[in-house]
Amino acid sequence: MNRYLSRRRPDGEPEPVTRLFCFPYAGGGASAYRRWQRGLNAHDAGVRVMPVQLPGREERSDEPRFTDLDALVTDLDAQLDEELTAPHIFYGHSMGALVAYSLAWRRQTRGAVLPRALVLSAYRAPHLSAPAIADPDAPDEELVAGLTALGGIPQPLLGHPEFLSALLPVARDDLRLCLDSVAARPERLRVPLHLFAGDEDRLVTVAEMLAWRQHAGRGCEVRTMPGGHFFVKSDEGAFLRELAALTRRYATERVAA
């Protein structure tokens, strides 16, 4: 089993033509996307959801986490290469958007198979500074306050010290990874970009999402959704409906190499 992919298709479930690889946000894991298959199926999305599990969280909690973006992307590229020969789409939210973009760019530079599309939400264009949720070395109280204000920690979980003790080290290393990110790549990405922004996001503005257009070599669409930074969680049903309408396009059409 590929160590980045924890989900396998149940026996009897038909295999969609297109795979949707989902990269987690800072502090998050693959579990954030494990309900998406049913939601997308309800809208005839035509994709198989492939949640990507990064090391150092959930079932991979005993593995060292990456704090260097290039090292992570190099490892992802090598480990997922065989899985990426079939038609696929990359999706990433917040930090996941940075990882998805960086992986697509690496594969473009080495002439590997590219995604049919890149779907990104809630992350600034790569030539802009990384969003400042909090200093990775800030006191626990400050980091918790920053994550909670964005909707990254549900209020009921704030009273569970065991949850916070597991979350905060992951969040700190993920923030370091984002700060380590390189500047904009010197070449436009030869993949269509589809961007989603929360109209009340205090961390990443719509204008900062629109700035992705200068990195798009195959077109760029930007859509706004009601909500803040975690609009994909606060109204998951509405977002999956929009995502399904988008993925249907790539699940059925022939895309030129």
Side-chain angles (χ1 to χ4, degrees):
M1 179 184 295
N2 189 298
R3 59 195 177 95
Y4 277 105
L5 301 173
S6 55
R7 181 186 185 275
R8 280 290 176 259
R9 176 170 54 94
D11 292 341
E13 180 182 300
E15 178 68 58
V17 173
T18 302
R19 300 174 177 184
L20 178 67
F21 289 85
C22 298
F23 298 87
Y25 45 83
S31 62
Y33 301 117
R34 287 185 181 139
R35 298 186 305 178
W36 280 26
Q37 188 69 66
R38 179 176 296 180
L40 289 171
N41 285 350
H43 298 293
D44 299 317
V47 293
R48 176 185 172 196
V49 177
M50 308 286 283
V52 175
Q53 187 68 284
L54 302 183
R57 63 208 76 207
E58 297 178 349
E59 69 266 22
R60 299 185 66 185
S61 60
D62 59 339
E63 300 178 39
R65 291 180 291 274
F66 284 94
T67 57
D68 179 277
L69 179 63
D70 284 341
L72 170 60
V73 169
T74 298
D75 195 54
L76 279 166
D77 190 25
Q79 297 296 327
L80 294 179
D81 190 45
E82 185 175 344
E83 300 281 352
L84 298 177
T85 57
H88 61 279
I89 297 168
F90 285 170
Y91 169 74
H93 180 80
S94 198
M95 180 192 78
L98 173 66
V99 174
Y101 162 75
S102 300
L103 177 57
W105 191 88
R106 174 181 170 82
R107 292 180 64 77
Q108 177 172 298
T109 59
R110 71 177 187 86
V113 177
L114 293 176
R116 288 186 163 190
L118 204 58
V119 185
L120 310 176
S121 56
Y123 201 85
R124 297 172 183 171
H127 64 281
L128 304 176
S129 60
I133 296 174
D135 187 314
D137 298 314
D140 287 354
E141 297 78 9
E142 183 178 328
L143 184 56
V144 168
L147 293 172
T148 304
L150 292 173
I153 304 178
Q155 288 289 338
L157 292 178
L158 292 176
H160 293 270
E162 68 281 3
F163 168 78
L164 295 178
S165 66
L167 169 68
L168 294 183
V170 179
R172 290 184 190 281
D173 281 348
D174 286 351
L175 292 175
R176 293 185 181 99
L177 184 144
C178 292
L179 292 174
D180 179 67
S181 63
V182 297
R185 310 292 182 172
E187 181 182 357
R188 290 184 177 229
L189 197 60
R190 298 192 298 273
V191 174
L193 298 186
H194 299 274
L195 312 176
F196 289 87
D199 61 5
E200 297 179 4
D201 191 344
R202 293 181 294 173
L203 185 67
V204 181
T205 67
V206 174
E208 290 167 337
M209 294 294 292
L210 288 169
W212 275 96
R213 287 174 171 167
Q214 73 181 65
H215 305 284
R218 293 283 176 88
C220 181
E221 296 179 355
V222 182
R223 308 180 191 192
T224 58
M225 299 288 294
H229 189 68
F230 282 98
F231 61 88
V232 297
K233 294 173 63 177
S234 61
D235 197 348
E236 183 177 271
F239 177 71
L240 292 183
R241 187 165 54 249
E242 292 289 327
L243 181 59
L246 177 59
T247 60
R248 279 197 300 271
R249 192 188 314 175
Y250 293 101
T252 57
E253 71 179 16
R254 291 183 178 274
V255 177

